[in-house]
Amino acid sequence: MEHIRKRLAKCEEGIRYLCQIKEGCEWGNLSGLLAKLDELKASFYDYSEDGFSDEVSQIEEAVAFLAERCQEEISSMDRVRIVRSPLRFSLKDILENVYEDYTELGGEGEANIDPAMVVAKANILRRVKNRVFTQQVMVIGHEKGHGEEFRNGGSTKPWGNEKALRFMQVAETEGIPIHSYIFTPGAYPVEEYPGAAQQIARNLYAMAKLRVPIVSIISEGGSGGAEAIGLADFRLMFSHGYYSVISPEGAAAIEGRVGEGQKAPKELVEQCAEYLKITAQDNLELGTIDRIVEEPPLGAKHDDFAFFKRLRFEMMRATDEVVLKTKSLRAFRAYELKLKKAGDDDVLVNPDQDTNLHIDISWELNNDEQKRLLALRAKKYRAMAAKAYLNDTTRFGEFCKKTSTRAAKVYYTVVYDILKRQQKQVEKVIKEVSGEGSSFVKRLSSPFTAAYDFIAHKPAGRAGKAPSAAGRQEALALEFGDTYTSPLANEDRTVTCPNAASRGCKDLWVPDLYGEFCGVCENCGHHFPLEYQWYLNNLFDRDSIREFNAKIGASNPLNHPVLRQKLQNVKNETKRHSAIITFQARLLEVELVVAMLYSDFRNGTVGAAEGEKFVQACELAKLQRKPLLAYVHTTGGIRIQEGTMGVIQMPKCTLAVRDYVDAGGLYIVVYDNNSYAGPVASFLGCSHYQFAIRSSRIGFAGYRVIRDTTGQDIPPDYHSARNALKRGHIHGIWDRREFRRNLHQALMTMGGRNLYYR
Amino acid sequence: MHDEIDFDQILSQYRADPYEYIEVTTPHAGRLVFKTSEEKPVSGPSGEWQHLPGTLLYELERERNVKPVRSVVNGVVANLERALDGQFVEAGEKVMIIRHPLKKREIIDRILRNVLSMFLAPERAKYFFALDIQSRIDKHGQRSISIKPGDEVLTMSLMKRDTPVLYQGEPGIIHSVYFTPGATVDQDQPLIGICPEDKLPLIQKIIARVKSEWE
């Protein structure tokens, strides 16, 4: 009878799993089945063995039928619940079953920097004919555990992501590939050092040029937390996984404007999960992943050994593909790998099938191959979300643009790489010679100069030159002009400073505040928000702004039912097409490229259009050897209605920044008002030089998300620029009235005389 | 310290009227609109950092700037000047009283501040007990330490420089300590409360009575 009892237990597990997926036992009369099961268990000894077996068989059939039906009509939200089930496999199961052996690094179990992030050095076996090779990999991933609370559900803290980065660099030193497994609902949103956003940005920046193959696979891909280890040369996804910009519940809370502490209606959550296009198939179609790894119906569990066999095969195949693309000699092996693809789909059905690749591919890369790997990685991300924005440029316009870019490339190569280099060489020689000459002349003439000074009664040490007229002019030019006054100043009323109670600030008359005081409280220095046009007019030299890519516009790539109308409205209101303005401008003698995210357009959220414009700004700055300024008037994060098309902008833009900085560019970020989430956790936060305007707030997640996630309240100044300065995220807080002067100084100090400094 | 303290009278006074009456006046002139009503309970700022604002009492509009005025304490609205609703009022005009029920701790604190002699912080700095005083406190408890004027009771630590602070005031024992060693204390904030030795039993008695009698 024992084996029948086991079958019964399996049935119960199956029913309870279905109840979890369907969020209750009402669907398909699961509650009836459970009742019958209880009844059978209670009357276990009343049946004969055959009779009991028949009863169990009936339940087994019913469960199998329901499972089949559930799989047929599986919804996006069902997949979310599958991924969150404690029965689902976790990273530890993968380490045990996919790899030959492994050693966990950076802590073990609860004794860990962050138990939600597991790093292990693992061996994987490759069989070629009758020989066995061991290949090493660095396995990095989130560990949800099977109901272990200390794992925090795979929600990694900043120091957990830092651990991941540390061991990625170890992998780079050792030249071994990285396999990253993403099982996270999102990063743990705390600002404690180094800050959730700052650490994710650092990870992305480092991964952009990590000189080893990276293969990532997504089970639960929650936005920024996923991206922290998700930038890869090959991106896989489990067939029942989800990859999304925000959890469906979070999206529903925003869409439905649900108050804190209240739950969004179930139907709305389901709808949001569908709109966000979070499934593996959706993501494959959108091009954010490269391949899907099939799981058994209703998802793999921790004891699906055939699935682990397949996973091992898929991870090796993906790594091989990445490595082979960098090799010059690869044709036959690539063909072999391609053939293997065609016949592998029944691995799950037939577990005995040989899943060994039988191809000899070394995962070590030489210098040239590493360069090729990085170039391919950059190219891969550059092409992502290419169709997710509007571009009204005609074919002729495109042709002209391409031609002028090519011409500019030739021109700037000649000017900077050929002439400038020669000029620099000549200048260097002249400087050396003149230095030698002046020392020689000084030694000859010093007795005569001393004698003359003694006779003429001149004090020791010759006075330096008085400040030149040009210097004074420059100082004047750095003052704000009276070209533009905010329209906010046209109201005849007063406002109260938010610090009035604590600092005793008097009421401010609006025409004074937004006119003469530039929106700054004259008593405490609190900065009231000003419109982005104020900066456009006051920060740069008059008439020096030349906008580019103005026609690239935000679109509705996922056909979200509300976004289209919202976009149309905001386009009509702002007379602009996206939340970012990219332009070239001048500040005294410095020509620079500027990308400005502003609040009027969907709260400065970043989608495919914004990302594309930012990348093109980086490319232009790189081409023309100009410094790049990202001025963030406001950004609310990634535009959630664009789903993963938005999330993918994080690695895409970071790669563009890294390319620009590695080529010698100077990238400065200035935050103003509110800057949160994805952009701060990627292409903004990765800058070496970040500053903030006074009274601005910088962070990863807002109050409500932090309270919901961590269950703790946070102090009111949690996101303040001062706190960001304290933890080293930014390097200075600038007064708005001194913005022009400070920016000029920053360009000069950080960029040096030639700005394009290497 | 007063020579004669009529504790019965103090206690009966608090028992008869266990409230503090906080007068709410207008900070400046303007048109006033009440947002609360007579006998309505109001609460002061709350939350770990006092970041959740108190109940909205009224709005005062001056030069088209509507300023919300909120309650700073918990209590009940009383004596609301309903006639002023919607009217222009001058600065300093009394608009209502908030009847704040005193808690046991507040009453004890008030009585103690009234009867103990307070030694105030001479400067904004960190304070510590002098080493010998601290060791005696550790051994026998603070109530066993008697001090007199000129004794080195505290050490003031400012920018890592330690300066001895000599006690000035009535001789007695250290009854209450109002500072945390190592935490910065603002100037003129009480550091310790001193009570003459012979008055100690009386004070302890009164505290015990408040503790036992008050809800």
Side-chain angles (χ1 to χ4, degrees), chain A residues 112 139 170 182 186 235 334 354 366 467 472 631 655 667 732:
Chain A
N112 214 319
V139 178
V170 172
I182 299 163
R235 286 159 69 101
D354 181 17
N366 64 29
R472 279 197 301 275
Y631 168 68
L655 269 152
Y667 176 46

Side-chain angles (χ1 to χ4, degrees), chain A residues 202-260:
Chain A
R202 284 178 192 173
N203 280 29
L204 281 169
Y205 189 78
M207 290 171 89
K209 294 283 167 167
L210 213 62
R211 287 171 287 116
V212 287
I214 311 171
V215 174
S216 67
I217 184 158
I218 303 169
S219 171
E220 183 174 18
S223 195
E227 292 308 323
I229 57 165
L231 193 155
D233 301 299
F234 205 95
R235 286 159 69 101
L236 295 160
M237 191 165 166
F238 293 113
S239 61
H240 285 71
Y242 82 88
Y243 175 35
S244 174
V245 62
I246 189 172
S247 68
E249 293 89 345
I254 294 171
E255 296 273 335
R257 297 181 188 278
V258 179
E260 197 174 341

Side-chain angles (χ1 to χ4, degrees), chain A residues 438-689:
Chain A
S438 62
S439 296
F440 178 67
V441 171
K442 196 181 170 192
R443 188 155 281 276
L444 279 182
S445 64
S446 59
F448 302 104
T449 319
Y452 173 77
D453 286 350
F454 180 74
I455 294 162
H457 297 289
K458 279 196 177 174
R462 287 162 176 258
K465 280 184 184 173
S468 65
R472 279 197 301 275
Q473 263 181 359
E474 185 177 289
L476 276 176
L478 282 168
E479 297 296 330
F480 284 131
D482 51 359
T483 49
Y484 176 87
T485 306
S486 169
L488 293 168
N490 295 335
E491 259 186 301
D492 177 20
R493 67 183 186 101
T494 62
V495 287
T496 310
C497 175
N499 299 328
S502 55
R503 304 278 182 87
C505 309
K506 289 178 180 159
D507 281 5
L508 294 144
W509 190 46
V510 163
D512 272 352
L513 174 66
Y514 291 110
E516 195 186 341
F517 305 156
C518 303
V520 178
C521 171
E522 57 170 352
N523 183 49
C524 71
H526 172 80
H527 281 42
F528 288 79
L530 275 180
E531 70 283 354
Y532 74 91
Q533 290 90 342
W534 189 91
Y535 295 92
L536 282 179
N537 287 287
N538 282 311
L539 189 55
F540 307 103
D541 290 357
R542 192 178 293 182
D543 302 327
S544 71
I545 291 175
R546 279 166 294 138
E547 192 176 345
F548 57 90
N549 286 335
K551 290 276 176 69
I552 293 181
S555 75
N556 185 12
L558 306 186
N559 291 322
H560 190 279
V562 193
L563 184 65
R564 194 176 161 182
Q565 191 53 48
K566 281 185 176 172
L567 279 177
Q568 199 49 54
N569 294 347
V570 77
K571 282 178 186 177
N572 293 341
E573 275 169 30
T574 58
K575 309 280 183 251
R576 292 198 173 275
H577 297 274
S578 69
I580 195 168
I581 310 168
T582 48
F583 54 92
Q584 299 190 63
R586 197 176 58 247
L587 203 164
L588 290 191
E589 75 278 22
V590 185
E591 294 275 350
L592 65 164
V593 175
V594 186
M596 182 191 257
L597 281 161
Y598 65 103
S599 60
D600 300 12
F601 197 102
R602 306 287 304 148
N603 201 27
T605 47
V606 172
E610 287 76 14
E612 179 64 25
K613 283 180 81 172
F614 184 84
V615 170
Q616 289 200 22
C618 290
E619 287 168 350
L620 185 74
K622 185 180 162 192
L623 177 70
Q624 300 191 353
R625 275 78 168 169
K626 285 179 182 170
L628 174 66
L629 167 73
Y631 168 68
V632 189
H633 181 254
T634 278
T635 180
I638 300 295
R639 190 170 300 140
I640 60 165
Q641 295 88 349
E642 290 196 23
T644 45
M645 290 285 93
V647 181
I648 214 68
Q649 303 309 316
M650 290 173 67
K652 180 178 171 177
C653 295
T654 311
L655 269 152
V657 167
R658 181 75 197 253
D659 259 357
Y660 167 69
V661 173
D662 281 2
L666 170 64
Y667 176 46
I668 295 179
V669 173
V670 183
Y671 300 104
D672 200 351
N673 301 315
N674 297 305
S675 308
Y676 287 108
V680 184
S682 55
F683 61 93
L684 299 174
C686 72
S687 165
H688 301 316
Y689 306 114

